[in-house]
Amino acid sequence: MFKYNIRGENIEVTDAIRAYAEKKISKLEKYFADVPTAIAHVNLKVYTEKTAKVEVTIPLPYLVLRAEETSIDLYGSIDLVVDKLERQVRKYKTKINRKSREKGFDLLVPEQVVEEEEGIEIVRTKQFELKPMDSEEAVLQMNMLGHSFFVFEDAETEETNIVYRRKDGKYGLIETN
């Protein structure tokens, strides 16, 4: 069963909004044989240009469901984000069921979620040597190459890290260990 942490930015989270979000997000529980106890983090934002953004993150033991949607209507954004999360769950379940059938055992997954997805085709493989550098140099390399992400070895920790360009134009860093 999901528990909910619903926050609002530039908006008061009324009982009606809270109830609507919980009702819609709880529909995802039907995709799990044993509904995991998880906290659904819901962030509602309303902007000055009259748009509403909804972000939902549900960390599960084996997967993190995350989606965000923006529209002119808060309730519409909630509907869109739940649709996106539902597609993620169906895709994940399909992939898991396919792998389990290939290995000769079935998972207890409700049949209504098993949908065939288009095959994932890897059309190119690259190998390259990771150069030791700091994250700022990695961003410069990424920009110089015109890519949206760049994999590098952190010069201090010797771990493989990734820098990427965010939708807002800023940069993100993924650190591995």
Side-chain angles (χ1 to χ4, degrees):
M1 178 169 213
F2 294 155
K3 295 180 180 173
Y4 298 90
N5 175 12
I6 301 176
R7 298 180 322 133
E9 292 182 28
N10 301 327
I11 185 174
E12 179 187 343
V13 180
T14 64
D15 290 341
I17 293 171
R18 179 179 306 282
Y20 189 82
E22 288 180 7
K23 178 183 174 192
K24 289 294 187 171
I25 295 168
S26 70
K27 288 181 179 181
L28 298 173
E29 292 177 5
K30 72 181 178 190
Y31 292 103
F32 301 96
D34 294 319
V35 178
T37 300
I39 298 175
H41 301 278
V42 183
N43 196 21
L44 311 170
K45 300 178 185 178
V46 176
Y47 298 107
T48 54
E49 65 270 8
K50 304 291 185 223
T51 57
K53 181 177 184 179
V54 176
E55 300 171 354
V56 177
T57 306
I58 307 172
L60 299 169
Y62 42 85
L63 145 97
V64 175
L65 295 174
R66 183 177 191 304
E68 60 183 60
E69 282 293 338
T70 304
S71 74
I72 58 170
D73 174 36
L74 179 66
Y75 291 95
S77 292
I78 292 170
D79 292 343
L80 291 170
V81 89
V82 169
D83 290 346
K84 190 180 273 190
L85 290 168
E86 219 169 357
R87 284 192 302 273
Q88 287 178 18
V89 172
R90 284 195 309 263
K91 184 176 180 180
Y92 177 78
K93 294 281 191 179
T94 301
K95 185 166 64 170
I96 294 300
N97 280 340
R98 183 177 295 133
K99 284 185 180 183
S100 68
R101 282 193 302 269
E102 288 170 3
K103 292 180 180 175
F105 61 91
D106 290 324
L107 295 176
L108 297 174
V109 177
E111 284 302 314
Q112 77 263 22
V113 304
V114 180
E115 292 182 0
E116 290 302 317
E117 64 183 60
E118 292 183 25
I120 297 172
E121 181 182 3
I122 298 176
V123 295
R124 186 172 181 189
T125 301
K126 281 186 170 184
Q127 291 183 345
F128 56 93
E129 192 174 316
L130 298 180
K131 306 283 188 215
M133 62 183 72
D134 62 24
S135 57
E136 291 167 357
E137 183 181 347
V139 169
L140 293 173
Q141 290 286 330
M142 175 184 70
N143 287 336
M144 198 166 57
L145 292 168
H147 291 174
S148 57
F149 71 94
F150 188 81
V151 181
F152 67 101
E153 179 183 310
D154 186 287
E156 283 185 30
T157 64
E158 298 182 352
E159 297 288 342
T160 302
N161 291 345
I162 303 163
V163 291
Y164 62 96
R165 185 176 303 104
R166 296 168 36 104
K167 288 180 185 175
D168 63 7
K170 296 179 181 173
Y171 299 100
L173 171 67
I174 299 173
E175 297 178 323
T176 62
N177 52 14

